[in-house]
């Protein structure tokens, strides 16, 4: 257990979560570790464990520490376990829960099952060794200087890290909202609750909206980049509306950073669809990119879906995804939309779901 | 002459019940048409639903597609609404297929009778459906139940009368 280091639990750039499993207890060799039951997480780079009750108690070790591992079947009253044998501790290891240990192996005990899948994924990651291709930065050490493990501090990764840090310094709400979708959902939920309560109050005419609620509402809007909502109704149409709109866009684009890099703007625009905003980023063959309304995009998508399917005779969602470089989910949505509009029809058999041009 | 399959028969989506309402409408019409022409070609007057599912009518082995039982029932319901099908049991396992409606048969039979100057003659049902004289006529081989319905239609029109004879039924044409 002395191979683990304390961590804040956040994944680094290039590190992806592979699987997580709750109900895992750690063992230092054959002895129960001093922690309670928690969540075991496997990423492309590390093995992480986090206490259920106290989320601050989070530890991790790089996968490169693992020498080999094996399954230990459960029995009556005994949970299934994975036994992980480890390399000796490297000299520059960050402090962790155990200063030293007489064991060079640990166990993960799966009290709520999940051992089979976790073992499978661990095997996969240990075979692929993805951490070797995309090294992540080590956490900024408190005492020691640059470590041997910190590769490629310069170059693109370095620049990316600088942008990352700069973004963290500024308006936390917007950067959190874009980086952590779940936090955005929470904010959105709060906002929905507030909107509902305001709407109800207006409906029941139970007095004015309190100043407190107004301030809260405005602060939410601000955090989403809307300083003062401008609508056609309040400002009329025509050039005045466009001026106000342009000003609002200008304000939005200027915050949170003084300058918004093209990459940030493009990356933000790429998220329109997943954030369910009615805008889409469209890339032309020439490389030119435009932002357009979703409805416009839908017609184009349907037309292009029909072209693709006609061209190949028939397509499954997976084949379509590969053709377009999209996720299977998104490409299936497009095919279904084209079917709804009557351009495609389906062939559902044991071979799978396949779409054809609607020749009926 | 072998049966000519419509183009849809070799189009895999034809065998999947389409979720799009407009597409489904066209699909069902094509299935109704296929079912009726198949039965007409093979002179099938009754169908056993389980057998039908395995028969070439609903099962195209070449493209490895067959219509599901659910879809077959929907096609049959369409045919029933159009008056081309009648269930023989309440479990909907056997049905009568009328690829020609009784009125249409009646007309054909009457045409043959009058063409041969046999109006006012009496025929047994058997003579009509299986007699040597009717060989080559479309209604030759017509099953009795269908023949009877056809004659009933003529009867309603006043062009025939069904009479009971010693060993069965007969008909007189007017």
């Amino acid at each position: 257990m002395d191979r683990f280091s304390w961590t804040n639990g956040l994944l680094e750039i290039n590190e992806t979560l592979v699987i997580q499993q709750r109900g895992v207890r750690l063992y230092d060799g054959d002895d129960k570790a001093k922690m309670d039951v928690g969540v075991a997480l496997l990423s492309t780079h590390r093995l992480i464990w986090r206490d259920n009750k106290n989320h601050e108690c989070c530890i991790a070790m790089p996968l490169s520490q693992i020498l080999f591992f094996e399954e230990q079947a459960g029995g009556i009253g005994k949970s299934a376990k994975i036994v992980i044998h480890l390399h000796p501790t490297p000299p520059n290891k960050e402090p962790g829960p155990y200063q030293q240990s007489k064991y060079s192996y640990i166990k993960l005990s799966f009290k709520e099952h999940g051992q089979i899948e976790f073992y499978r994924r661990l095997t996969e990651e240990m075979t692929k060794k993805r951490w070797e291709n995309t090294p992540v930065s080590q956490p900024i050490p408190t005492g020691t200087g640059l470590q041997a493990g910190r590769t490629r501090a310069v170059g693109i990764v370095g620049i990316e890290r600088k942008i990352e840090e700069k973004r963290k310094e500024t308006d936390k709400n917007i950067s959190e909202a874009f980086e952590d979708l779940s936090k955005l959902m929470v904010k959105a939920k709060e906002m929905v609750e507030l909107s509902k309560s305001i709407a109800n109050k207006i409906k029941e005419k139970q007095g004015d909206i309190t100043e407190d609620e107004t301030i809260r509402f405005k602060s939410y809007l601000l955090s989403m980049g809307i300083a003062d909502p401008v609508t056609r109704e309040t400002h009329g149409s025509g050039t005045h509306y466009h001026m106000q709109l342009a000003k609002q866009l200008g304000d939005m684009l200027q915050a949170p950073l003084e300058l918004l890099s093209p990459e940030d703007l493009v990356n933000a625009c790429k998220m329109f669809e997943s954030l369910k905003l009615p805008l889409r980023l469209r890339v032309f063959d020439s490389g030119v990119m435009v932002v357009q309304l979703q409805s416009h995009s839908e017609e184009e998508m349907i037309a292009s879906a029909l072209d693709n399917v006609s061209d190949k005779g028939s397509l499954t969602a997976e084949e379509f995804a590969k053709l377009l470089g999209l996720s299977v989910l998104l490409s299936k949505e497009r095919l279904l939309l084209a079917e709804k509009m009557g351009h495609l029809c389906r062939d559902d058999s044991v071979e799978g779901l396949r779409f054809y041009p609607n020749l009926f | 002459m072998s049966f000519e399959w419509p183009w849809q028969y070799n189009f895999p989506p034809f065998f999947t019940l389409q979720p799009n309402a407009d597409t489904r409408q066209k699909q069902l019409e094509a299935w109704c048409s296929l079912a009726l022409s198949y039965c007409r070609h093979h002179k099938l007057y009754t169908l056993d639903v389980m057998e039908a599912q395995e028969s070439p009518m609903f099962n195209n082995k070449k493209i490895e597609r067959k219509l599901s039982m659910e879809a077959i029932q929907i096609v049959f319901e369409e045919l029933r609404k159009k008056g081309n099908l009648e269930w023989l049991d309440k479990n909907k396992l056997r049905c009568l297929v009328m690829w020609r409606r009784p009125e249409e048969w009646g007309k054909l039979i009457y045409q043959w009778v009058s063409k041969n100057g046999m109006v006012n003659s009496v025929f047994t049902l058997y003579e009509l459906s299986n007699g040597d004289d009717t060989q080559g006529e479309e209604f030759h081989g017509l099953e009795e139940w269908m023949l009877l319905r056809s004659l009933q239609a003529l009867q309603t029109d006043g062009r025939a009368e069904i009479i009971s004879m010693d060993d069965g039924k007969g008909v007189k044409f007017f």
Side-chain angles (χ1 to χ4, degrees), chain A residues 339-340 345-348 358, chain B residues 12-13 16 18-20 23 65:
Chain A
E339 180 191 43
K340 199 165 120 181
C345 58
R346 64 170 63 189
D347 165 41
D348 203 350
N358 184 0
Chain B
T16 300
Q18 294 299 317
N20 178 309
T23 313
R65 293 285 185 277

Side-chain angles (χ1 to χ4, degrees), chain A residues 1-3 27-30 61 65-69 83-89 100-107:
Chain A
M1 277 296 296
D2 60 348
R3 312 299 198 266
Y27 281 68
D28 178 32
D30 290 324
M61 80 160 81
Q65 267 306 115
I66 297 179
L67 176 61
F68 75 94
F69 55 100
V83 184
I84 305 179
H85 298 264
L86 307 159
H87 287 295
T89 322
Q100 61 196 29
S101 163
K102 62 182 181 192
Y103 296 103
S104 59
Y105 62 98
I106 58 159
K107 297 192 198 181

Side-chain angles (χ1 to χ4, degrees), chain B residues 33-117:
Chain B
S33 168
L34 190 163
L36 289 179
S37 26
Y38 185 86
C39 287
R40 175 198 237 110
H41 182 91
H42 295 278
K43 299 232 191 235
L44 301 173
Y45 300 97
T46 58
L47 282 181
D48 178 287
V49 177
M50 303 298 251
E51 274 172 30
Q53 199 195 20
E54 294 307 317
S55 90
M57 178 164 59
F58 292 127
N59 184 350
N60 184 343
K61 290 211 158 97
K62 194 173 89 175
I63 62 169
E64 291 175 322
R65 293 285 185 277
K66 67 180 183 187
L67 211 55
S68 70
M69 190 51 80
E70 183 205 354
I72 291 177
Q73 288 290 352
I74 292 177
V75 172
F76 281 178
E77 176 58 17
E78 282 302 297
L79 285 170
R80 190 196 65 78
K81 287 199 278 214
K82 290 189 198 188
N84 295 106
L85 186 145
E86 234 178 68
W87 288 111
L88 284 169
D89 64 320
K90 68 170 178 239
N91 291 322
K92 298 199 182 173
L93 291 172
R94 284 184 65 78
C95 58
L96 302 175
V97 179
M98 294 174 275
W99 37 271
R100 202 170 250 146
R101 292 197 326 275
E103 299 76 28
E104 292 164 333
W105 281 123
K107 196 162 146 194
L108 267 178
I109 295 170
Y110 192 83
Q111 270 171 6
W112 175 81
V113 166
S114 91
K115 195 171 73 177
N116 287 293

Side-chain angles (χ1 to χ4, degrees), chain B residues 123-126 144 148 152 162-171:
Chain B
F123 293 87
T124 64
L125 295 195
Y126 187 81
E144 189 174 307
L148 208 49
Q152 276 162 356
I162 299 167
I163 46 193
S164 289
M165 292 153 71
D166 289 330
D167 50 351
K169 287 192 163 47
V171 60

Side-chain angles (χ1 to χ4, degrees), chain A residues 88 134 163 177 199 232 250 292 320:
Chain A
T134 56
I163 295 179
R232 281 189 189 272
Q292 64 183 31
F320 192 46

Side-chain angles (χ1 to χ4, degrees), chain A residues 29-312:
Chain A
D30 290 324
D31 307 331
K32 277 190 187 161
K34 58 190 176 187
M35 284 85 147
D36 285 327
V37 177
V39 183
L41 304 100
L42 174 67
S43 81
T44 45
H45 292 64
R46 298 179 285 168
L47 174 64
I48 306 170
W49 182 93
R50 188 178 66 222
D51 189 312
N52 258 352
K53 300 194 196 93
N54 177 16
H55 284 213
E56 302 256 304
C57 174
C58 191
I59 55 178
M61 80 160 81
L63 292 180
S64 50
Q65 267 306 115
I66 297 179
L67 176 61
F68 75 94
F69 55 100
E70 55 195 349
E71 292 176 279
Q72 193 174 72
I76 312 223
K78 271 191 345 168
S79 316
K81 298 179 178 56
I82 297 179
V83 184
I84 305 179
H85 298 264
L86 307 159
H87 287 295
T89 322
N92 56 0
K93 184 191 93 65
E94 287 300 303
Y98 280 67
Q99 286 285 44
Q100 61 196 29
S101 163
K102 62 182 181 192
Y103 296 103
S104 59
Y105 62 98
I106 58 159
K107 297 192 198 181
L108 304 180
S109 173
F110 292 80
K111 315 211 83 62
E112 289 184 35
H113 306 289
Q115 168 254 0
I116 296 175
E117 188 61 17
F118 204 92
Y119 180 80
R120 189 175 78 77
R121 295 307 196 108
L122 183 57
T123 311
E124 235 175 62
E125 291 309 314
M126 292 303 294
T127 313
K128 284 187 197 165
K129 289 190 173 22
R130 287 195 264 184
W131 68 84
E132 282 179 0
N133 305 330
T134 56
V136 297
S137 63
Q138 302 284 358
I140 314 270
T142 45
T144 60
L146 282 177
Q147 303 153 36
R150 187 176 183 162
T151 58
R152 296 212 259 143
V154 296
I156 296 170
V157 174
I159 296 174
E160 279 184 350
R161 246 207 312 288
K162 284 202 186 87
I163 295 179
E164 183 77 27
E165 282 161 8
K166 198 170 178 199
R167 219 194 305 207
K168 278 177 182 162
E169 284 166 17
T170 56
D171 189 345
K172 244 184 161 229
N173 272 343
I174 294 186
S175 46
E176 273 175 6
F178 273 113
E179 282 170 33
D180 192 342
L181 195 58
S182 60
K183 284 182 184 162
L184 179 65
M185 307 267 248
V186 168
K187 279 251 171 311
K189 191 174 172 219
E190 287 172 357
M191 214 175 143
V192 167
E193 294 303 335
L194 182 59
S195 308
K196 275 189 188 161
S197 118
I198 291 174
N200 279 334
K201 287 209 171 147
I202 294 171
K203 206 164 69 165
E204 293 162 38
K205 293 205 181 108
Q206 270 172 15
D208 299 323
I209 303 163
T210 67
E211 205 182 307
D212 180 57
E213 278 173 332
T214 312
I215 292 171
R216 267 176 70 201
F217 194 60
K218 277 197 169 170
S219 84
Y220 281 130
L221 293 179
L222 227 137
S223 71
M224 280 169 56
I226 307 169
D228 223 335
V230 172
T231 63
R232 281 189 189 272
E233 292 90 78
T234 57
H235 279 79
S237 60
T239 51
H240 191 221
Y241 169 78
H242 289 118
M243 270 167 59
Q244 292 294 328
L245 185 62
K247 210 170 123 214
Q248 208 177 95
L249 278 172
D251 289 343
M252 204 158 70
L253 290 175
Q254 276 165 44
L257 305 166
E258 260 132 35
L259 285 174
L260 188 66
S261 72
E263 301 93 78
D264 281 345
L265 180 60
V266 168
N267 287 333
C269 289
K270 284 181 183 166
M271 304 186 78
F272 282 148
E273 195 162 353
S274 56
L275 289 177
K276 298 205 193 308
L277 294 168
L279 298 171
R280 292 289 177 271
L281 180 70
R282 175 187 165 165
V283 183
F284 288 83
D285 294 334
S286 58
V288 167
M289 300 190 210
V290 300
V291 174
Q292 64 183 31
L293 287 178
Q294 178 191 12
S295 51
H296 189 197
S297 308
E298 268 178 14
E299 283 160 24
E300 289 171 345
M301 282 196 310
I302 294 173
S304 95
L306 181 57
D307 281 338
N308 286 120
V309 173
S310 304
D311 196 38
K312 301 275 179 212

